[in-house]
Amino acid sequence: MEEEKYHNLKLGERAAFISIAAYICLSVLKLTIGYVSDSAALKADGLNNTTDIIASIAVLIGLRISQRPPDKNHGYGHWKSETIASMVASFIMAAVGLQVLLNAVSSMFDGVNESPDIIAAYTGVFSGAAMYFVYRYNKKLAIKINSKAVMAAAKDNISDAWVSIGTAVGIFGSQLNMPWLDPLTAIVVGFLICKTAWDIFVQASHELSDGFDEKKIKHYQDVIKNVDGVKGIKDIKGRSYGNNEVIDVVILVNSKLDIKEAHDIATHVEKVMMRDYGVYDVHVHVEPN
């Protein structure tokens, strides 16, 4: 099972490489067309993609480090490295999102005299379509290997697709004697970048602080209660190491059982959770009732 987990992390690198390649091509295209056509929204979108390159590299590094086996300083392995990488990526995205907002607001106050060239809008439509296909691939891979980091990358991909479409809409609108719509769209792009950064930060900080889904814990509690020999549950906790779940549970068993019988029940609980629910590790403590 552990070998499969490491293999999945290796597959996750493919998603990071595809995202990096797509973002490099699209950022060059958008920034070039954005400056040629004088589109603030397209330049903002292109700048967003440059941060996505850095964010994807951070995720790639995190996936690489996560594959390292446990050592004397990391007895539980390096699984959380991908979560740390996601948090670093969120900081990078937030910094650029704020910069995009400041530039767009400044552009509005400076005044806009001409609408950007229509080629900027077509570039936005093409970019949105391209990122949608990248999103579909990464989402499918994330589900296949059960990777939160790859799923976060996929969410970033679809966010970028919508940003590009929004950029195109703003530029098309600016052709209708509303040149102010282009920098206004750049402001919306800035807010979308910041929101994506915030969502990634919230999820990463939740996992790094050992937060766990309450509904999932309740479900696991019900499952363990139905295991033969378990009379009750005194305490149950969950935490995540990357895309791996670890459960700590204190079960109550008949006080008349001998040590071996109680141990067999605990082993059965471990097998059920790991085999049927994909839990990476289960720590079971037995108490008499």
Side-chain angles (χ1 to χ4, degrees), residues 251-283:
I251 62 173
L252 302 175
V253 300
N254 193 320
S255 59
K256 296 182 180 179
L257 297 177
D258 60 32
I259 294 177
K260 184 180 183 305
E261 291 173 321
H263 179 266
D264 288 342
I265 294 173
T267 301
H268 190 199
V269 169
E270 293 174 358
K271 288 182 178 179
V272 167
M273 297 304 297
M274 296 172 72
R275 181 192 63 212
D276 298 341
Y277 296 93
V279 177
Y280 178 70
D281 199 7
V282 184
H283 303 146

Side-chain angles (χ1 to χ4, degrees), residues 50-121:
T50 62
T51 65
D52 290 321
I53 296 171
I54 301 173
S56 296
I57 291 174
V59 170
L60 176 61
I61 293 173
L63 288 169
R64 283 282 177 89
I65 297 176
S66 295
Q67 295 174 47
R68 293 179 181 176
D71 54 38
K72 64 179 182 180
N73 293 323
H74 301 84
Y76 293 100
H78 298 77
W79 301 105
K80 286 192 175 184
S81 298
E82 58 175 312
T83 310
I84 296 173
S86 296
M87 178 169 283
V88 171
S90 73
F91 291 148
I92 297 170
M93 293 174 66
V96 175
L98 291 173
Q99 185 62 45
V100 168
L101 283 173
L102 289 174
N103 290 341
V105 171
S106 176
S107 177
M108 289 196 74
F109 280 107
D110 289 342
V112 180
N113 298 319
E114 297 182 359
S115 299
D117 193 285
I118 193 66
I119 191 176

Side-chain angles (χ1 to χ4, degrees), residues 12-274:
E13 292 182 19
R14 186 187 304 170
F17 278 121
I18 290 175
S19 293
I20 291 170
Y23 286 136
I24 289 175
C25 294
L26 293 179
S27 62
V28 171
L29 177 66
K30 291 175 184 177
L31 290 173
T32 301
I33 300 297
Y35 280 104
V36 171
S37 63
D38 195 28
S39 171
L42 192 61
K43 285 186 285 187
D45 194 8
L47 188 58
N48 173 35
N49 287 158
T50 62
T51 65
D52 290 321
I53 296 171
I54 301 173
S56 296
I57 291 174
V59 170
L60 176 61
I61 293 173
L63 288 169
R64 283 282 177 89
I65 297 176
S66 295
Q67 295 174 47
R68 293 179 181 176
D71 54 38
K72 64 179 182 180
N73 293 323
H74 301 84
Y76 293 100
H78 298 77
W79 301 105
K80 286 192 175 184
S81 298
E82 58 175 312
T83 310
I84 296 173
S86 296
M87 178 169 283
V88 171
S90 73
F91 291 148
I92 297 170
M93 293 174 66
V96 175
L98 291 173
Q99 185 62 45
V100 168
L101 283 173
L102 289 174
N103 290 341
V105 171
S106 176
S107 177
M108 289 196 74
F109 280 107
D110 289 342
V112 180
N113 298 319
E114 297 182 359
S115 299
D117 193 285
I118 193 66
I119 191 176
Y122 293 133
T123 302
V125 172
F126 169 78
S127 299
M131 286 313 305
Y132 176 74
F133 285 109
V134 174
Y135 156 74
R136 288 292 299 271
Y137 177 85
N138 285 347
K139 181 182 179 182
K140 184 178 180 180
L141 181 60
I143 294 173
K144 178 182 178 181
I145 67 176
N146 188 30
S147 172
K148 294 178 182 177
V150 176
M151 183 59 76
K155 290 179 179 179
D156 189 26
N157 296 150
I158 192 61
S159 173
D160 290 323
W162 283 115
V163 167
S164 293
I165 295 300
T167 297
V169 170
I171 297 170
F172 279 128
S174 70
Q175 300 295 312
L176 304 175
N177 295 321
M178 293 184 293
W180 49 266
L181 194 56
D182 182 57
L184 179 62
T185 305
I187 292 176
V188 175
V189 169
F191 275 118
L192 286 173
I193 297 171
C194 290
K195 183 184 183 302
T196 303
W198 174 253
D199 291 342
I200 294 174
F201 170 79
V202 168
Q203 182 179 0
S205 60
H206 179 72
E207 292 184 7
L208 290 174
S209 59
D210 286 342
F212 202 82
D213 188 342
E214 292 181 4
K215 292 182 180 178
K216 185 171 286 189
I217 276 290
K218 179 63 170 60
H219 177 61
Y220 288 166
Q221 185 174 7
D222 293 337
V223 170
I224 295 172
K225 281 182 179 179
N226 290 326
V227 173
D228 290 340
V230 177
K231 300 189 65 176
I233 295 179
K234 184 176 181 179
D235 189 28
I236 182 170
K237 298 184 181 71
R239 59 189 186 277
S240 298
Y241 289 96
N243 62 343
N244 303 306
E245 295 178 351
V246 178
I247 301 298
D248 298 288
V249 60
V250 179
I251 62 173
L252 302 175
V253 300
N254 193 320
S255 59
K256 296 182 180 179
L257 297 177
D258 60 32
I259 294 177
K260 184 180 183 305
E261 291 173 321
H263 179 266
D264 288 342
I265 294 173
T267 301
H268 190 199
V269 169
E270 293 174 358
K271 288 182 178 179
V272 167
M273 297 304 297
M274 296 172 72

